[in-house]
Amino acid sequence: DKGPKVLADALKYAEFERLCTDLKVKETPLENRCVPFLIREYQSLKIGFFSLMTEDFPIITNGGDVTLTGGNIETARRAVEKLRKEGAHIVVGLVHDTYERAAAVASAVPGIDILFGSLSSRYSKNYSVIGRTILLNGGENGDYLVRFDFKVDDAGRIDTESLKYRLILVD
């Protein structure tokens, strides 16, 4: 909210990788401070991650020279295609937008296994499934940590009988 320079300075202290799938950061203070995609391997399972910012980004924040690369649905389609091509068995989208808009992405874009939303005044007391996408939402205030456990079958697909969802109060 205080602009990309302040965020870039703060990110110097972050000890984790940051995603910016749908942000144009070239020639801005955020250049080289985030990556568009991540693939993490757990044993032989490859999980691919991408991110989506709310399409209200230009209205609700001080993005400066940082802009969106496109709409959420088209960005999610490109992300799924890229991550699957790179060998991801499971595709996870991290969505900084409302539950309703995350649900619209889940409905429109096949190939996303899990969508985790965070810009909603309500958190989900349980997961929901839209098509083949599992939708989670931890709310916007950081009141809860969401724990979501799942198992995969031999083909690397999520076993829907194994899903466990838990909200942990942050106090």
Side-chain angles (χ1 to χ4, degrees):
D1 290 342
K2 297 187 186 289
K5 171 99 174 73
V6 171
L7 178 58
D9 289 342
L11 291 177
K12 292 176 188 174
Y13 303 99
E15 295 181 11
F16 52 86
E17 292 189 76
R18 287 84 49 197
L19 284 168
C20 55
T21 305
D22 62 346
L23 296 178
K24 293 180 188 174
V25 297
K26 190 172 176 138
E27 298 179 10
T28 76
L30 294 180
E31 187 170 12
N32 300 318
R33 299 265 193 254
C34 56
V35 296
F37 306 98
L38 288 173
I39 295 183
R40 291 287 174 260
E41 194 163 338
Y42 303 93
Q43 296 172 5
S44 61
L45 182 71
K46 289 183 178 181
I47 301 179
F49 297 89
F50 71 94
S51 64
L52 297 173
M53 179 62 71
T54 177
E55 292 179 12
D56 293 336
F57 175 79
I59 300 166
I60 66 169
T61 193
N62 174 12
D65 293 338
V66 177
T67 59
L68 294 173
T69 61
N72 285 347
I73 290 173
E74 76 179 68
T75 300
R77 282 191 178 120
R78 284 193 316 264
V80 169
E81 182 180 328
K82 166 102 172 128
L83 290 166
R84 295 288 183 192
K85 186 186 265 187
E86 296 289 325
H89 300 104
I90 305 290
V91 173
V92 178
L94 305 173
V95 183
H96 191 62
D97 210 337
T98 65
Y99 177 88
E100 293 75 19
R101 289 183 182 172
V105 171
S107 295
V109 182
I112 303 170
D113 296 292
I114 300 169
L115 268 181
F116 186 89
S118 67
L119 184 64
S120 183
S121 57
R122 69 181 177 100
Y123 56 87
S124 300
K125 293 182 181 178
N126 207 341
Y127 66 88
S128 55
V129 178
I130 298 175
R132 298 186 62 124
T133 301
I134 301 163
L135 192 57
L136 314 170
N137 192 302
E140 67 181 349
N141 296 323
D143 297 327
Y144 292 93
L145 174 70
V146 174
R147 178 169 178 156
F148 183 67
D149 297 311
F150 61 91
K151 295 179 183 177
V152 294
D153 61 22
D154 292 337
R157 291 184 304 261
I158 294 176
D159 172 10
T160 56
E161 300 297 316
S162 72
L163 305 180
K164 292 183 182 166
Y165 180 90
R166 201 169 97 206
L167 293 172
I168 302 166
L169 180 64
V170 176
D171 59 4

